[in-house]
Amino acid sequence: METIKQRLKSPIVWTAIIAQAVIIAGVFCEGLGDNIKIIGAAAVEILTVLGILNNPTDSEKF
């Protein structure tokens, strides 16, 4: 349980979670233009990769 709590304190993990929520909302929002959706999806994927590569249990290393 402590490991999960430690991981949830990482701002990169929360950024990746929020980014995924935004892309899901973007899929269902028909009013957004296609270019905005493409740019948003690319940004979300970059943030997701950072969230996956991040080691939230070690604040000294990425």
Side-chain angles (χ1 to χ4, degrees), residues 19-46:
Q20 288 299 317
V22 168
I23 196 64
I24 291 170
V27 168
F28 293 107
C29 183
E30 296 177 9
L32 293 176
D34 288 337
N35 289 337
I36 293 173
K37 288 182 181 180
I38 291 169
I39 292 169
V44 165
E45 291 305 317
I46 291 169

Side-chain angles (χ1 to χ4, degrees), residues 1-23:
M1 187 69 163
E2 281 300 314
T3 304
I4 294 172
K5 288 181 183 178
Q6 188 68 22
R7 290 178 186 259
L8 290 176
K9 291 180 182 178
S10 172
I12 295 177
V13 170
W14 280 106
T15 303
I17 290 170
I18 291 169
Q20 288 299 317
V22 168
I23 196 64

